[in-house]
Amino acid sequence: MKNQTFALYFGNRGFMPGDLIAGARTDMIKAVTDAGYDVPVMDENATRYGAVETRD
């Protein structure tokens, strides 16, 4: 049986401190993978703090 997959999206409107986003990424990815699920997530170096800030 194939593992279920949960895509994680991290958003930030630019006013949230970067260390909170970094911590959330680490904690959520670990929690989902520890539960046995696959997790596709955007590379943290693709944007500032690894979070989506705009539609662009």
Side-chain angles (χ1 to χ4, degrees):
M1 180 178 203
K2 187 176 177 183
N3 277 356
Q4 286 188 328
T5 300
F6 289 91
L8 294 180
Y9 163 90
F10 298 92
N12 182 8
R13 298 296 291 174
F15 57 83
M16 192 173 210
D19 58 330
L20 293 179
I21 294 295
R25 285 181 60 90
T26 301
D27 293 347
M28 290 301 298
I29 292 168
K30 182 177 181 343
V32 174
T33 56
D34 285 353
Y37 300 105
D38 293 329
V39 182
V41 63
M42 182 174 64
D43 183 279
E44 67 182 316
N45 296 316
T47 63
R48 189 169 73 149
Y49 310 128
V52 176
E53 293 182 313
T54 68
R55 292 182 197 181
D56 296 332

